[in-house]
Amino acid sequence: GIRTMSSRDAGYNPIEYHNGTVWPHDTAIVAEGLRRYGFRDDANRLAWALLEAAEAFEYRLPEVFAGYDRDATTVAVEYPTASRPQAWAAAAPLLAIRTILGLDAEDGRMTSDPSLPPDIARLRLLPGGGGERRETDRETSGHGRSRTGRRALPRPARPTLTRASRP
């Protein structure tokens, strides 16, 4: 995730509330901003890292977690006094999924321009209330991108993710 302070700064402390922790909602917002400015690989890397952190916290993200380097720990480290779950942290994975799917509203319609991170083998949009189902996978869409570009989706959808198999 995105830390509140760089590990290169003198005041950095990975378990200091404003001086090095990771705030899930900030990370999700940064990932979506990167996507909107065309940095899809960076956006996906952040979005996927956030989903991995959610898994480490049993899908009950805290308001913040420790900002240790991934090389230093194998899992996200809980901040001792963080609220968990926490409202805006709970919304962060939804924005991360939106980022991966490239979901936008354009002219009153929802559109999708998916770009799958390497760890996601298949992603399905399941329609709410009987609309058309959409599926994107790495084999058929070339690095997870839709060949036809943005697609209009008929109804709100809920995503399901399938992890890529590891060698």
Side-chain angles (χ1 to χ4, degrees), residues 45-101:
R45 190 174 76 244
L46 272 179
W48 181 247
L50 186 59
L51 296 174
E52 287 181 317
E55 183 178 28
F57 291 110
E58 300 172 329
Y59 300 100
R60 297 174 67 232
L61 277 171
E63 64 181 311
V64 299
F65 55 91
Y68 290 106
D69 285 339
R70 283 187 146 215
D71 297 338
T73 64
T74 57
V75 294
V77 176
E78 193 163 354
Y79 181 79
T81 59
S83 297
R84 179 175 165 229
Q86 199 257 357
W88 61 68
L94 301 175
L95 183 54
I97 291 169
R98 176 185 172 182
T99 297
I100 291 167
L101 291 172

Side-chain angles (χ1 to χ4, degrees), residues 77-156:
V77 176
E78 193 163 354
Y79 181 79
T81 59
S83 297
R84 179 175 165 229
Q86 199 257 357
W88 61 68
L94 301 175
L95 183 54
I97 291 169
R98 176 185 172 182
T99 297
I100 291 167
L101 291 172
L103 293 177
D104 279 306
E106 295 176 5
D107 299 322
R109 296 188 47 89
M110 186 171 71
T111 62
S112 177
D113 183 18
S115 177
L116 300 183
D119 288 319
I120 299 177
R122 175 174 291 135
L123 186 141
R124 287 187 206 133
L125 290 177
L126 302 175
E132 183 182 344
R133 178 175 133 179
R134 301 281 181 170
E135 187 168 328
T136 299
D137 63 40
R138 301 197 77 64
E139 292 79 32
T140 61
S141 66
H143 302 293
R145 287 204 80 129
S146 164
R147 286 193 178 149
T148 59
R150 294 198 172 284
R151 299 180 191 177
L153 302 175
R155 295 179 183 251

Side-chain angles (χ1 to χ4, degrees), residues 26-49:
D26 286 348
T27 298
I29 291 167
V30 169
E32 177 61 11
L34 287 167
R35 179 192 72 86
R36 288 179 173 266
Y37 281 90
F39 299 96
R40 293 301 293 264
D41 291 342
D42 295 321
N44 282 343
R45 190 174 76 244
L46 272 179
W48 181 247

